[in-house]
Amino acid sequence: QEKNKLTTDLKRLRKHYLSYEPTLTELQRKYEVAMKEKMLMRLERDRMRARVATLEQTVKQMQEEKLPPADAGPEKTKSKKGRDSKLPPDDSVVNPYVCCCRC
């Protein structure tokens, strides 16, 4: 009688263990998918950070190009600009918009 009980318990436990196997396989698959998505998100995040850094650097360079130097005042640049710059002769410059205005 005890042997029959142990045999029954053993069969029940084997059946119970077999029911866990598909669940474990499914959980392992879900884990792998989650890890893959996590890595893809990290890669995308790193790409976006690099892109933002590049764009910020570009904006900073553009702003620096637009702004006059901090040590020179506006009066100095006006007087210096008029004195140093030379205009080209009128006959050497061709106006590309002359044709468009007459049409």
Side-chain angles (χ1 to χ4, degrees):
Q1 186 177 358
E2 190 173 329
K3 184 178 177 183
N4 288 337
K5 182 181 178 192
L6 289 174
T7 306
T8 309
D9 285 345
L10 186 62
K11 287 179 183 179
R12 185 179 52 83
L13 287 173
R14 281 185 185 165
K15 185 178 178 183
H16 189 66
Y17 172 74
L18 289 175
S19 70
Y20 276 114
E21 194 169 341
T23 306
L24 289 174
T25 306
E26 181 68 20
L27 287 174
Q28 185 176 4
R29 188 189 64 78
K30 285 183 179 182
Y31 171 78
E32 290 172 358
V33 167
M35 288 296 112
K36 185 177 179 181
E37 286 181 7
K38 182 179 176 183
M39 288 303 294
L40 290 174
M41 291 296 287
R42 283 183 178 177
L43 286 172
E44 187 176 353
R45 179 196 65 196
D46 292 343
R47 276 192 218 119
M48 289 297 143
R49 281 184 179 172
R51 186 173 179 193
V52 165
T54 305
L55 290 173
E56 285 176 346
Q57 186 178 9
T58 305
V59 167
K60 186 178 179 182
Q61 287 176 353
M62 291 175 74
Q63 288 175 344
E64 288 174 356
E65 289 174 1
K66 286 182 181 180
L67 295 176
D71 57 354
E75 290 135 16
K76 286 184 179 180
T77 52
K78 286 182 182 177
S79 62
K80 193 175 186 181
K81 190 175 187 181
R83 187 176 24 169
D84 290 341
S85 60
K86 294 180 182 179
L87 297 175
D90 290 335
D91 58 349
S92 66
V93 179
V94 178
N95 188 351
Y97 298 107
V98 171
C99 176
C100 295
C101 296
R102 292 179 186 168
C103 296

